[in-house]
Amino acid sequence: MLLGEHSKNLEYIGTMDEEIELDKNSLAIIVDVSNAERVDNQSFNKCGYIIKIDHHKPFDEAFEDLTWVDTNYSSCSEMILDLFLKNSNKLKIDKHGRKSLFTGIIGDTGRFLYVENPTELFKKLYSITFDLETKEIYRNMYKREEKELKFLGYIYSNYVTTENGMAYLKVNKYDLKQYGLEAIKAARMVNALQDTAGIINWHFFVEKPDGSIFCEFRSNGPRVNDIAAKFGGGGHMLAAGASLANWSKVDEIIKELDKNCKEYLS
């Protein structure tokens, strides 16, 4: 059973299952998240046993009973691929499963852009890609709706920069509603600023309908995951995120991120 926050733009991979009541006889497998607060569906806390598979640096005390965390992996999908390959005599995976793993790998690695040397990863991929229609995967992954193009205009017209090379964008729920985008989709458009000359750190703060804030932090130099962890989030050194209850801490985070850039440049 797959539980979590549904995202319409990921429907080409799959959809969440209908929720059932979990209890101490249930097993929860948490994937690709370092701390309990960032797990989409908090009902996992009712489960009698919790396994965590992650490739992010853990900052908090373990909330799980069994841990497999390895920051040397490019993605959790690669971790699961290795688990399958090392136990292929016992485990089976269908075409949809293989497609999902490949999609996770290319998504988390930015089409291998964030991997220093992908040689070993490429060697593994044939075991799951041999009959996949990869053009369809890429087409779905990078397809943009017209409302996203319009939101790009909002991004470029409203982002703020500091003298230390830090850029940020705040998006309230009323502005977001005009574009018809989910908060998570808008926040994940953070890399619209990544190739801008003079910007070494860029961050989005997007308000959800319930007033909570979805935060995405990105960097071309100074690490951001330590700051994310300080505010209940986590992630990689140069790509991290957090969820906040409201706007009250956003300006504090912005100051920390700007100070981080200043120290990096000094």
Side-chain angles (χ1 to χ4, degrees):
M1 172 160 290
L2 189 63
L3 299 179
E5 186 174 330
H6 175 70
S7 179
K8 187 173 178 60
N9 68 301
L10 295 178
E11 287 181 352
Y12 70 97
I13 304 173
T15 58
M16 297 299 165
D17 293 312
E18 188 174 332
E19 288 196 40
I20 62 168
E21 187 64 32
L22 302 177
D23 56 34
K24 64 180 181 179
N25 296 313
S26 305
L27 167 68
I29 302 177
I30 308 297
V31 180
D32 207 22
V33 63
S34 58
N35 55 338
E37 291 78 12
R38 298 195 74 201
V39 179
D40 281 341
N41 191 313
Q42 290 291 309
S43 62
F44 78 91
N45 286 297
K46 300 176 183 178
C47 295
Y49 200 81
I50 301 170
I51 298 172
K52 184 178 80 171
I53 301 173
D54 192 28
H55 67 131
H56 302 100
K57 177 183 176 182
F59 289 93
D60 299 336
E61 269 189 51
F63 62 88
E64 66 277 7
D65 301 293
L66 179 63
T67 305
W68 180 23
V69 173
D70 192 334
T71 59
N72 293 309
Y73 277 96
S74 65
S75 66
C76 284
S77 294
E78 185 188 357
M79 295 174 75
I80 295 170
L81 173 57
D82 266 2
L83 181 66
F84 167 70
L85 292 176
K86 290 173 183 176
N87 298 275
S88 57
N89 60 325
K90 303 174 185 176
L91 301 176
K92 302 295 180 184
I93 185 170
D94 62 14
K95 187 174 182 178
H96 179 74
R98 291 186 283 106
K99 175 184 174 182
S100 299
L101 285 183
F102 180 68
T103 303
I105 289 169
I106 60 175
D108 232 10
T109 62
R111 288 183 293 182
F112 313 106
L113 179 66
Y114 311 134
V115 182
E116 288 290 338
N117 188 332
T119 304
E120 292 304 314
L121 178 55
F122 286 162
K123 289 178 182 177
K124 304 174 192 176
L125 286 178
Y126 175 75
S127 64
I128 57 171
T129 61
F130 58 89
D131 65 345
L132 297 184
E133 298 80 23
T134 55
K135 283 185 179 180
E136 177 199 353
I137 295 172
Y138 283 110
R139 184 169 59 251
N140 278 302
M141 181 174 284
Y142 295 103
K143 179 172 60 179
R144 276 184 174 158
E145 298 180 47
E146 186 178 358
K147 58 187 177 183
E148 294 174 66
L149 295 178
K150 291 179 179 178
F151 187 67
L152 280 174
Y154 177 90
I155 292 171
Y156 296 135
S157 298
N158 291 279
Y159 77 90
V160 178
T161 57
T162 73
E163 61 183 14
N164 299 311
M166 195 269 281
Y168 66 90
L169 177 72
K170 296 179 181 179
V171 186
N172 65 57
K173 60 186 177 183
Y174 305 107
D175 286 344
L176 186 63
K177 188 175 181 180
Q178 295 180 33
Y179 295 91
L181 291 176
E182 298 172 289
I184 188 172
K185 181 65 176 178
R188 293 281 163 81
M189 292 175 70
V190 63
N191 279 335
L193 302 179
Q194 71 176 346
D195 297 318
T196 307
I199 294 178
I200 58 171
N201 234 225
W202 58 100
H203 319 290
F204 277 20
F205 303 90
V206 183
E207 187 178 17
K208 297 180 182 180
D210 65 0
S212 61
I213 312 299
F214 199 96
C215 313
E216 287 290 341
F217 312 128
R218 298 292 184 272
S219 176
N220 276 332
R223 59 188 299 158
V224 293
N225 59 343
D226 291 336
I227 294 174
K230 185 176 178 180
F231 292 91
H236 304 288
M237 285 194 297
L238 305 182
S243 294
L244 305 175
N246 50 53
W247 288 106
S248 63
K249 294 287 185 180
V250 170
D251 286 340
E252 184 181 346
I253 296 176
I254 289 172
K255 287 179 182 177
E256 292 245 10
L257 291 165
D258 192 41
K259 179 184 176 184
N260 191 34
C261 285
K262 185 177 182 179
E263 291 173 351
Y264 178 80
L265 295 171
S266 62

